[in-house]
Each structure stands twice: as structure tokens, then as C-alpha cells.
Amino acid sequence: MLIDLAKIIELPKIFDERGNLSFLEEDNHIPFKMERVYWIYDVPGGSTRGGHAFKNQHELIIALSGSLDVIIGDGVNERRINLNRSYYGLYIPNMIWRQMDNFSTNSLALVVSSTAFDVTDYVYDKEAYLKLLNVFK
């Protein structure tokens, strides 16, 4: 199943009485080359983000602060994953539908992307996604 390619990646944790530190490195902790990093914040209560798939982009989503849910699907199966630790990232390969909701107050989500922004890489229409998915299988 395509959805099984998505997985939680545990990032390194360095514990220190002065405060903890986590990090990620390209081709070490994540299975792709980093091209872009962006973050999502100040999401109003009850709002959702995402609601699309990418033809090419792979990404890692980390809840740096607070929590959020990521709903992923492959046209047949769907899974809801709660992110609430800054040392866990959800790796989502291309061609998996994703949506984010249930953002806590003051949550901050960091997204590490394998591609530069390209509007033509986005698939926003669920029916078009399902048709395209058949091509990728």
C-alpha cells in the first residue's frame, strides 16, 4: 500500500539541563535532498491546511511547538497521525494525499520539502488525484 511508505522518523535528541536540542541532516535523517523549508503558524481554530497531494515532492512535517493532526491517504486507506513532539517528523512521499487539522493554540509546524515551490506539482482535486494515482501504480 502506498500509504505505508509514510512513516514517523525519530530525530536525534541531545538532552541537556540547559535545554534539549534536536536536529536533522540531509541524506542522514531524511530520505531526500532538502530544497525548501517552510512553516505553518497562527492557524485559526477549526481550520485545515493541505488538502492536496504532490506529484513529485517528498516532505517531512515536524510539530516544533504544540500539536496538529496529519491525515494521509492513498485513495483506499486513510490514517490520522498526531504530531506533538519536536523530535518526531512525519515523512510523506509523493502521491500521498495529505491534510492537516486539529492545530493547538500557538502550534508551529515545520515542513522540509524535496522541491522548490512549483504550483504545477500540486494536485488539489481529489478525483484528479485518484486518476493520476492509477498512472503511478
Side-chain angles (χ1 to χ4, degrees):
M1 290 183 287
L2 185 60
I3 196 171
D4 291 335
L5 297 174
K7 62 182 177 183
I8 294 290
I9 294 175
E10 186 169 358
L11 300 169
K13 294 176 278 188
I14 299 173
F15 296 103
D16 190 303
E17 61 189 36
R18 301 167 297 164
N20 302 325
L21 181 144
S22 288
F23 62 94
L24 62 89
E25 295 172 341
E26 180 178 273
D27 295 327
N28 185 2
H29 304 110
I30 56 174
F32 57 84
K33 182 178 178 337
M34 292 185 269
E35 285 291 324
R36 176 172 55 123
V37 176
Y38 61 94
W39 44 99
I40 300 168
Y41 58 97
D42 293 341
V43 178
S47 293
T48 61
R49 298 293 312 237
H52 58 267
F54 293 107
K55 297 174 201 166
N56 298 301
Q57 178 178 296
H58 297 242
E59 63 186 15
L60 183 75
I61 302 172
I62 304 167
L64 288 181
S65 180
S67 64
L68 64 129
D69 289 347
V70 182
I71 304 98
I72 57 173
D74 62 10
V76 176
N77 303 290
E78 189 173 279
R79 189 180 321 150
R80 177 177 289 267
I81 298 136
N82 179 260
L83 297 177
N84 59 11
R85 298 283 185 258
S86 59
Y87 48 86
Y88 286 128
L90 175 60
Y91 167 64
I92 306 175
N94 63 320
M95 290 308 296
I96 293 182
W97 192 267
R98 83 277 327 272
Q99 180 172 312
M100 294 174 276
D101 68 9
N102 200 24
F103 288 84
S104 67
T105 302
N106 295 322
S107 62
L108 171 60
L110 179 76
V111 183
V112 179
S113 167
S114 67
T115 64
F117 176 76
D118 178 1
V119 72
T120 65
D121 192 40
Y122 287 72
V123 183
Y124 289 106
D125 180 82
K126 192 80 173 249
E127 291 302 315
Y129 164 73
L130 295 173
K131 288 178 185 172
L132 212 98
L133 196 58
N134 286 326
V135 172
F136 275 82
K137 288 183 179 177

